[in-house]
Each structure stands twice: as structure tokens, then as C-alpha cells.
Amino acid sequence: MRFFILLFSVITLVSCKVKNEVIRFQDELEIGGYCPDDGTCTFSVLSQKVLKVKKDNLGAIYPAIAEGNKIVLKFEYSRNEKPNVADASYKEQVFIELSVDQLEIETEVLKQVNILFARLCYCKGQTGYYRVRTGKLAIKKLLGETYNISLKFEVTEVPQVVTQIEQIFSLSS
């Protein structure tokens, strides 16, 4: 009889432990993300894509997402528009291209990763796309096909609102 009580206690403890870990993990998924209070943010995972950096006739760079064998992460912040103000829209975007072997990385050498920052607004002389060269990127595998990305960065060419991204994402569809 003691054997069955002991066995039941062990099974109960193990099942409670597993259940608690799953609940904690799901809570992290809901909490993940960073967005300034005065706008909305979206985060997209584009599988089997590549981020090509192209130049226009004036030499300014811009992104083109094409079919490929990599993963492109896209973060977008859109500031809430002020009513009755013309040309008040303001967006910032961050594009991060990763190969499969970069899904667990920690680096301050951002030249290893293709990262673009965009400031899109009616801001004369201070709008466009810029390469991110300064900051720290960490991507850690959590469970299965789920990862946590932490990017703290700075662009020197233009002012920016978003200086960090913290997001949990999944590669499974």
C-alpha cells in the first residue's frame, strides 16, 4: 500500500511540475513585446524569405523582401495620429534577416546580421532606411520552435523612438 501512495505522490508532483511550467511559458508568450505607449506595434515572422537592400536613383537604400532560404523578422511601430494635423503619420520599422544557424546568437557585432531601421514620416531630411550597426542582439531558443529576441540598438543618422525590441516568436505555422 505504501508503494502505491508513494507512486501516486510522485506522479502527482511530476504532473503538477510539468503543468506549472507550461502555464508559465504561455504567460511569457502573452507578455512578450515592446511598444511605446503612444502607438501600436506589430511583429511578423516571414519564413523562407531574404532581405535585399536596394538603392534608388539618389543612392538611398530601401528593403525588398524576396523568396529565399532565410527568416526575416519585421517590427513596426506606428504612432497614434493626432487629429486635425496634416502629415502627422509617423512609423518606425526594423527588419532583421537571419539564417537558421543564427537562431541562437548573442552579438554586439551587428555587421554579422542584416538589420535595417526605417523612420517614415514627414520629417524633412530625417526620413528613410538606415543600416543598424550599433547595439546588441540576442536570440535564445525557449521551447520547440519558439525563440526570444532582444535587440537594443541605435542609429546615428536620425532620431528614433524605438531603441529596443523584446519579443517572443515562433517559427511554426
Side-chain angles (χ1 to χ4, degrees):
M1 184 69 169
R2 287 184 189 180
F3 173 75
F4 289 113
I5 293 173
L6 181 63
L7 180 64
F8 179 75
S9 298
V10 169
I11 290 173
T12 304
L13 285 174
V14 169
S15 66
C16 288
K17 175 85 171 144
V18 170
K19 186 175 182 179
N20 286 341
E21 287 177 5
V22 170
I23 289 171
R24 236 180 286 127
F25 181 72
Q26 288 174 343
D27 288 346
E28 286 177 8
L29 283 173
E30 293 169 8
I31 294 169
Y34 170 81
C35 190
D37 292 336
D38 65 345
T40 58
C41 295
T42 59
F43 187 87
S44 306
V45 178
L46 308 169
S47 297
Q48 300 299 309
K49 303 288 183 188
V50 291
L51 176 63
K52 294 183 178 184
V53 180
K54 296 189 172 192
K55 286 188 178 183
D56 65 14
N57 294 341
L58 301 173
I61 62 172
Y62 65 95
I65 298 173
E67 296 297 319
N69 60 349
K70 296 187 178 188
I71 299 156
V72 176
L73 305 176
K74 179 184 176 188
F75 175 87
E76 182 173 287
Y77 157 69
S78 295
R79 185 171 58 200
N80 298 332
E81 289 191 25
K82 298 174 184 173
N84 303 322
V85 176
D87 299 323
S89 66
Y90 182 91
K91 281 186 185 180
E92 290 185 0
Q93 298 174 330
V94 179
F95 296 89
I96 306 166
E97 179 189 66
L98 300 167
S99 59
V100 176
D101 61 339
Q102 290 174 312
L103 285 175
E104 291 190 70
I105 188 173
E106 187 164 342
T107 185
E108 291 185 29
V109 183
L110 294 182
K111 292 178 185 175
Q112 298 174 354
V113 182
N114 193 8
I115 305 176
L116 281 183
F117 170 80
R119 183 174 195 240
L120 307 171
C121 57
Y122 185 70
C123 311
K124 293 182 180 182
Q126 295 185 327
T127 188
Y129 293 88
Y130 305 90
R131 291 189 183 275
V132 176
R133 301 182 194 284
T134 305
K136 183 175 182 180
L137 172 66
I139 301 175
K140 296 181 179 151
K141 187 170 188 167
L142 299 177
L143 182 66
E145 293 293 309
T146 305
Y147 298 85
N148 182 64
I149 183 170
S150 174
L151 174 64
K152 293 182 181 179
F153 68 101
E154 177 183 7
V155 291
T156 56
E157 296 88 348
V158 293
Q160 67 188 94
V161 174
V162 175
T163 58
Q164 69 180 22
I165 299 169
E166 297 282 340
Q167 183 68 43
I168 295 175
F169 67 95
S170 178
L171 296 179
S172 60
S173 46

